[in-house]
Amino acid sequence: MLSRLVLTDFRNHAGLTLEVGPGFVVLTGENGSGKTNVLEAVSLLAPGKGLRRADLSDMARQGGPGGFGVAATLASEVAERVEIATGALAAAPERRVVRVQAAPATAASLPEWLTVLWLTPATDRLFVEPAGERRRFLDRLTLALSPAHATHAARYEAAMRARGRLLAEGVEGARPDPEWISALEAQMAEHGAALDAARRETVALLGERLRAQAAGPFARAGLALEGWSGDAGELLRLLRDGRQRDAAAGRALNGPHRADLHVTHLDKDRAAALASTGEQKALLLGLVLAHSELVAERTGRVPVLLLDEVAAHLDPSRRAALFERLAGRGQVWMTGTEPALFEAVGGDATRLGLG
């Protein structure tokens, strides 16, 4: 869990230090007070671009000196205190800097220390968004169970972009080195097969857990991963055979980058995209809660959950059920405009007002 969070020139916060305890961390304040910005800062303690998927330069405080910093102290009952930090320098606003125990590190190494998952109001549209949004969502779930997933994803994407550039040169009349293309395809095959295997294991484990749950306030989701699946040898063959087609299309037409997470409402046997707005919210909550419990069981480490405006559209009974299920399951950060929304949380929460 986090015990201390320090923001420097991040979004609207010139300087903010929060001391927090285990369990619930409740942030309240008026719109524009920076509640979601705090959650975004915590989300940057994981690989990727954070819960808003914003450019680093957009995170630096307007009117500030340029650059920003997010630093956190992690504490647990079984390990020494760990200091992690990330941010960007004014001289290189789009280059991310990561440090662990004051030593240079990579974003891909962050899951070794902390697992962070989040739901925001924008996530409510997950089931009707393009497939890429669901892939990114699934990759966050997978990363919590397989920390190497971030490295495989980064190397697959880098090789795919480089191969695409070489194939485009061929379309323009140049003669790209076939051995170089083959080497890039070998990298795509190796890391792509690992990506696919980890995703499918996550879908299988989480799907089994959801099916076994009794009916409750949060709808049970059925999960399936659609698209290419196979081993490295099969993907390598598809890439080599598909060079001409991929060059004409301007992108690779086979591989795990085209997968889609298909979600159904199990109890109604209906695609999640066709469910009501309230049902989709319940499906998402049920899915994330089940995943958090799965990660805790399999890794011994409970994810930090970031739930932005999670209580705003839940009726009182469902809010109480959510807080009851989350109690005692690690650190949960929640935001809202009204403290009254969190009355059912109990008295042991860290409650912070921003404004």
Side-chain angles (χ1 to χ4, degrees):
M1 70 167 202
L2 282 71
S3 61
R4 191 168 188 258
L5 179 70
V6 180
L7 308 185
T8 304
D9 290 314
F10 182 81
R11 296 288 190 182
N12 69 316
H13 300 292
L16 179 68
T17 299
L18 302 179
E19 305 282 349
V20 297
F24 293 104
V25 179
V26 178
L27 304 175
T28 56
E30 296 181 355
N31 293 329
S33 60
K35 304 182 299 297
T36 303
N37 293 343
V38 173
L39 298 195
E40 183 182 25
V42 178
S43 75
L44 292 176
L45 302 175
K49 301 179 71 173
L51 59 80
R52 284 193 176 105
R53 294 191 55 77
D55 292 334
L56 290 174
S57 58
D58 292 336
M59 300 178 191
R61 183 171 61 91
Q62 293 186 6
F68 69 90
V70 176
T73 301
L74 310 184
S76 76
E77 297 177 354
V78 297
E80 64 176 303
R81 189 176 69 178
V82 176
E83 305 284 349
I84 61 177
T86 189
L89 302 176
E94 290 298 349
R95 181 185 175 190
R96 185 173 180 183
V97 177
V98 177
R99 292 186 175 274
V100 177
Q101 301 292 58
T106 65
S109 70
L110 291 174
E112 298 176 17
W113 309 101
L114 186 69
T115 299
V116 186
L117 297 172
W118 57 83
L119 285 180
T120 70
T123 318
D124 292 351
R125 292 184 49 81
L126 181 71
F127 304 128
V128 296
E129 291 283 0
E133 294 299 320
R134 288 183 291 279
R135 278 196 303 275
R136 281 188 282 270
F137 177 77
L138 175 58
D139 282 340
R140 291 203 303 273
L141 302 184
T142 303
L143 184 61
L145 292 166
S146 177
H149 193 67
T151 299
H152 288 302
R155 292 180 178 173
Y156 178 85
E157 291 287 340
M160 181 172 63
R161 287 194 299 269
R163 175 181 180 267
R165 287 194 295 269
L166 289 176
L167 293 178
E169 290 176 4
V171 172
E172 295 169 359
R175 288 190 173 183
D177 184 349
E179 292 186 2
W180 190 3
I181 294 179
S182 294
L184 292 170
E185 289 170 345
Q187 291 180 41
M188 288 180 65
E190 175 189 354
H191 297 294
L195 278 179
D196 177 68
R199 286 172 177 169
R200 291 189 182 276
E201 181 180 23
T202 298
V203 167
L205 290 171
L206 186 54
E208 180 181 2
R209 187 178 190 91
L210 287 163
R211 287 191 300 271
Q213 287 185 347
F218 304 107
R220 297 182 305 152
L223 306 178
L225 187 60
E226 300 178 339
W228 175 86
S229 178
D231 59 24
E234 179 189 356
L235 182 54
L236 183 59
R237 178 184 60 79
L238 289 171
L239 291 170
R240 287 176 175 172
D241 293 346
R243 288 179 187 175
Q244 186 173 357
R245 186 180 63 168
D246 291 352
R251 63 187 186 280
L253 298 177
N254 284 296
H257 61 285
R258 294 177 62 82
D260 191 5
L261 178 64
H262 181 65
V263 183
T264 58
H265 189 312
L266 274 182
D267 299 317
K268 294 191 174 181
D269 192 24
R270 177 188 304 165
L274 301 178
S276 70
T277 301
E279 288 174 331
Q280 290 180 2
K281 181 79 170 184
L283 283 166
L284 273 171
L285 282 169
L287 199 161
V288 168
L289 293 174
H291 176 263
S292 178
E293 294 160 1
L294 175 65
V295 171
E297 287 181 6
R298 294 186 68 87
T299 70
R301 185 168 59 200
V302 183
V304 172
L305 293 181
L306 311 178
L307 305 178
D308 191 23
E309 300 290 350
V310 68
H313 303 294
L314 296 177
D315 58 59
S317 62
R318 191 160 284 173
R319 281 202 301 270
L322 173 63
F323 301 151
E324 180 180 1
R325 185 164 174 182
L326 289 171
R329 297 187 181 275
Q331 196 172 54
V332 183
W333 295 61
M334 300 185 292
T335 67
T337 55
E338 299 293 337
L341 293 171
F342 304 100
E343 288 180 350
V345 165
D348 57 349
T350 301
R351 298 175 187 270
L352 303 168
L354 298 180

